[in-house]
Amino acid sequence: MDGQWQFAYDDEARWRQPADVTFDRTIQVPYPPESLRSGIHDTGFHPVVWYSRRIAVAPAERGGRVLVHFGAVDYSARVWAGGQFVGQHEGGHTPFSVDITDALDGSGSVELAVRAEDDPQALTQPRGKQDWQPEPHLIWYPRTTGIWQTVWLESVPATRLDSLRWTPHVDRWELGLTVEVTGPLTPDLRVRVRLFVDGQEVIEDTYRLTERELGRRIALPDPGLEDARNDLLWTPENPQLIGATLELLDGDTVIDTVQSYAALRSVGCDGPRFLLNGQGYVLRMVLDQGYWPDSLMAATDEELRRDVELTRRLGFNGARKHQKVEDPRWLYWCDVLGLLVWEEMPSANRFTPGAVEKLTREWMEVIRRDVSHPCIVAWVPFNESWGIPDLNTNPAHRDYVKTLYHLTRTLDPTRLVIGNDGWENMSTDMVGLHDYVRDPAVLRERYGTPQALAVTFRQPFGGRALLIDGLAGAEIPTVLSEFGGVAYSLDAAEGWGYSRVTDRAGLLEIYEALLAAVHNCRALAGFCYTQLTDTFQEKNGLLTARREPKADLTRLARASRGPRYGWDLKDDLDPHPLGYSPRWSERRATELDASERRQPPER
């Protein structure tokens, strides 16, 4: 249902029903009205907006239901169909659905209307990098109001598969499956599961459904030999997915079918090492803000895929999606093409009971939406103490971090949680540090050895302690999760970065020096360079805002990968103490080429 909709501003919040609204504009959904691509491009303060579109829809057959799905509407939404109120949702980054069946009159069409409310200055809402001032300033960017992810229509049976959750158990060579069913239950309901590897069926199981939620562990055929096992494990070098078809049967009749996929992949820590599938693995990540100059936070599927491809071509094996819950199609391409992800909750800017409630509720929806994506290896509920500015002195702020850390671990015990990335680390499975020093020698001095890191932990950065609340940082992995930030503009446009160069040669020189230093920091379990692309006034991307490389891709990628793809060897017998096992050295060492088009798993 993307495309042209009727649109209206309601700055004084006068209208309460769609019939009251004077629709005087058109907008291209799903692009926010602040964007060029929407056809409106009005960046002013507009706290309430309305959408309307007549859609062709036939009544549901045989007692089924007709649903309208919204990928994301910022910040709160109320929806009507045929003048009838059909549902509402609060949270600007998570999906919701409304059932319009009872509003259909048999005419073959219905008028759908949406009222979206997003106070541009509401600092208690999770807003991430969206600016509350009239124009973008410092590290804050244009606002995104209203519908900014795809809208689609679906006809479904009354009793149907409503949600799936996949949980890998590599130690037992099993996949955990949780299925939720909605609608009337009958005595003869069963769920049939078929799993495929490279198009070949490996599992067919059927389970009787006695309640709305079904939980099972599915044992996969164990290839036995280690090399054969490695072929089935998901890694960035080998993003092996397991295709899945689930059918809901009533007796022998298939009443609903869902296509899905899963993967075998484990995440963990061993002292200061990050583990992927039980082996030490060096994280080579890039900070990804997820903005486009013409469409702001919205993007096409092709643009989302292209960002994943470019990230890999630049030599990175992961991305930290910063202050944004990205469109799930981006996570899909990370799964398919092979890219690790730290998923981060957009911050609120104030600490109040209402802010706590809003962020916690939306964070739970984020985890529910994305928990089955194998690419995600870490959850990040807070960044740099945003929204919790008195973390070191206010017990309530510390309790908030502890609560979200433990809540996240409760909802998903299979991944790592970084409680508050950047500084004032506490209640965390990894320490994340932000350090924009330009001198590579200083990076080596601060992080080169465990002894140097121990000294660094005791020194405040910008008046903030790196570790608080008794955290023993030496006992868990440390990641330099923001560094670099070197600005260079191809068009000499004004902008800023944490340091600046004036030409391509200068960018290559400083990038190669910084990355060589970080690869030689043997106390680090990984890094995250700032950043993938220029983002409005920030000109510190390796790519421009339109995804043009600022320097030679081959040399940038070589620097990102480091010696022997992150091992940092003195010789073949001396691997990086926190790096990954030599047995992976023969596995897909070359990065994704632009011509390589890895396809999703066959169904």
Side-chain angles (χ1 to χ4, degrees):
M1 292 166 56
D2 294 347
Q4 194 171 90
W5 290 53
Q6 299 301 303
F7 183 80
Y9 287 121
D10 186 9
D11 294 347
E12 297 176 0
R14 294 176 300 157
W15 299 320
R16 290 289 177 260
Q17 299 290 332
D20 302 332
V21 181
T22 301
F23 289 98
D24 57 355
R25 304 167 187 254
T26 60
I27 189 170
Q28 196 73 16
V29 169
Y31 303 110
E34 293 89 349
S35 71
L36 278 166
R37 205 175 283 176
S38 71
I40 294 179
H41 193 213
D42 184 340
T43 60
F45 285 177
H46 298 289
V48 178
V49 297
W50 287 82
Y51 299 80
S52 178
R53 177 175 175 176
R54 179 160 289 277
I55 59 175
V57 54
E61 297 181 2
R62 298 187 301 277
R65 313 300 294 178
V66 178
L67 308 179
V68 178
H69 303 285
F70 294 84
V73 180
D74 200 1
Y75 168 71
S76 63
R78 292 172 61 83
V79 185
W80 291 260
Q84 297 182 33
F85 177 71
V86 291
Q88 62 187 342
H89 178 261
E90 182 179 289
H93 305 86
T94 49
F96 67 98
S97 303
V98 294
D99 188 332
I100 66 170
T101 311
D102 295 337
L104 303 179
D105 59 8
S107 66
S109 69
V110 69
E111 192 76 20
L112 191 70
V114 179
R115 181 187 188 270
E117 183 170 350
D118 186 16
D119 184 345
Q121 295 177 302
L123 301 185
T124 59
Q125 292 176 188
R127 59 188 306 117
K129 288 294 195 82
Q130 297 184 60
D131 209 329
W132 58 94
Q133 296 188 12
E135 297 296 331
H137 76 292
L138 298 177
I139 60 171
W140 315 102
Y141 312 136
R143 290 169 295 283
T144 288
T145 298
I147 299 172
W148 68 276
Q149 289 184 25
T150 194
V151 184
W152 72 102
L153 190 68
E154 184 181 18
S155 179
V156 296
T159 301
R160 59 190 180 274
L161 300 165
D162 193 52
S163 71
L164 306 178
R165 173 172 175 159
W166 298 102
T167 305
H169 301 283
V170 174
D171 57 333
R172 298 175 60 89
W173 216 249
E174 294 176 344
L175 280 175
L177 170 64
T178 301
V179 180
E180 292 184 12
V181 174
T182 191
L185 299 183
T186 63
D188 295 326
L189 286 179
R190 293 175 296 143
V191 175
R192 181 160 61 205
V193 182
R194 301 168 66 202
L195 300 182
F196 304 84
V197 176
D198 296 328
Q200 300 297 312
E201 185 173 310
V202 294
I203 292 288
E204 181 180 344
D205 283 343
T206 303
Y207 311 110
R208 183 169 296 280
L209 194 69
T210 58
E211 52 188 345
R212 295 195 180 279
E213 184 174 298
L214 171 73
R216 291 292 184 271
R217 284 198 177 191
I218 303 172
L220 295 169
D222 187 346
L225 293 174
E226 190 168 21
D227 285 347
R229 281 184 165 188
N230 288 340
D231 286 338
L232 193 55
L233 295 177
W234 188 98
T235 69
E237 295 74 28
N238 180 53
Q240 178 65 63
L241 298 177
I242 300 170
T245 298
L246 283 83
E247 296 171 319
L248 181 63
L249 298 94
D250 189 354
D252 294 328
T253 302
V254 177
I255 59 174
D256 195 19
T257 303
V258 170
Q259 305 293 334
S260 183
Y261 64 86
L264 276 177
R265 189 269 300 121
S266 68
V267 177
C269 298
D270 179 14
R273 297 195 305 160
F274 170 80
L275 303 180
L276 183 66
N277 298 327
Q279 302 297 318
Y281 192 92
V282 174
L283 295 166
R284 306 190 314 270
M285 302 192 299
V286 68
L287 193 76
D288 184 345
Q289 308 266 18
Y291 278 78
W292 287 262
D294 295 336
S295 55
L296 307 183
M297 294 203 306
T300 66
D301 184 58
E302 293 77 12
E303 288 168 330
L304 295 167
R305 175 173 184 158
R306 181 63 173 156
D307 273 12
V308 177
E309 292 173 337
L310 285 167
T311 300
R312 287 183 50 97
R313 290 188 65 197
L314 282 163
F316 300 107
N317 59 24
R320 176 180 164 219
K321 184 62 73 166
H322 185 39
Q323 284 298 292
K324 182 187 181 188
V325 178
E326 189 55 274
D327 188 308
R329 290 295 297 179
W330 181 78
L331 293 170
Y332 168 81
W333 289 118
C334 291
D335 291 338
V336 170
L337 300 175
L339 193 71
L340 302 177
V341 173
W342 283 17
E343 181 149 329
E344 181 177 322
M345 181 64 195
S347 296
N349 294 59
R350 294 183 58 200
F351 181 84
T352 68
V356 170
E357 182 179 348
K358 289 179 172 69
L359 190 142
T360 302
R361 181 175 59 245
E362 191 167 350
W363 183 234
M364 293 173 67
E365 291 183 358
V366 169
I367 295 171
R368 178 179 174 85
R369 190 197 79 170
D370 293 340
V371 70
S372 293
H373 284 283
C375 64
I376 298 174
V377 296
W379 303 107
V380 187
F382 293 104
N383 171 71
E384 292 185 348
S385 305
W386 291 359
I388 41 173
D390 302 319
L391 192 60
N392 196 30
T393 59
N394 189 325
H397 290 200
R398 292 198 299 277
D399 287 342
Y400 189 18
V401 175
K402 292 176 185 177
T403 297
L404 280 199
Y405 169 81
H406 288 292
L407 175 63
T408 305
R409 293 282 293 170
T410 300
L411 295 174
D412 180 16
T414 72
R415 291 181 175 89
L416 304 180
V417 180
I418 295 94
N420 177 43
D421 187 62
W423 47 68
E424 294 179 330
N425 284 268
M426 58 166 289
S427 299
T428 191
D429 298 320
M430 289 194 288
V431 172
L433 302 180
H434 298 176
D435 189 345
Y436 285 103
V437 63
R438 176 167 173 156
D439 188 347
V442 176
L443 288 176
R444 287 191 290 269
E445 179 184 338
R446 290 174 177 170
Y447 313 108
T449 65
Q451 295 78 17
L453 182 60
V455 173
T456 299
F457 279 152
R458 295 194 292 269
Q459 299 174 349
F461 275 37
R464 299 273 187 171
L466 297 182
L467 308 178
I468 64 172
D469 207 41
L471 181 68
E475 298 176 2
I476 58 178
T478 296
V479 176
L480 190 60
S481 51
E482 286 187 30
F483 78 107
V486 180
Y488 166 54
S489 298
L490 289 184
D491 57 5
E494 290 187 4
W496 72 276
Y498 294 91
S499 61
R500 179 174 291 279
V501 295
T502 58
D503 54 31
R504 294 176 186 267
L507 179 61
L508 271 174
E509 181 181 0
I510 186 61
Y511 185 74
E512 289 173 337
L514 287 170
L515 269 292
V518 170
H519 281 295
N520 282 321
C521 290
R522 300 169 68 82
L524 294 176
F527 62 81
C528 180
Y529 182 82
T530 302
Q531 59 186 348
L532 179 64
T533 71
D534 290 350
T535 311
F536 300 98
Q537 65 272 21
E538 288 191 52
K539 304 298 181 182
N540 49 17
L542 296 174
L543 310 172
T544 70
R546 298 194 180 279
R547 280 51 178 177
E548 306 162 290
K550 294 185 182 180
D552 180 73
L553 272 175
T554 301
R555 285 184 61 179
L556 290 172
R558 187 181 300 124
S560 303
R561 294 184 188 117
R564 297 296 296 273
Y565 301 96
W567 287 20
D568 187 19
L569 295 186
K570 293 179 182 175
D571 55 58
D572 287 345
L573 300 178
D574 184 22
H576 187 295
L578 308 184
Y580 63 37
S581 164
R583 69 180 172 206
W584 292 102
S585 63
E586 302 303 321
R587 304 184 58 79
R588 295 198 68 199
T590 57
E591 294 297 314
L592 180 74
D593 184 81
S595 63
E596 181 181 348
R597 311 296 288 180
R598 186 177 177 88
Q599 296 302 316
E602 294 182 21
R603 303 301 189 218

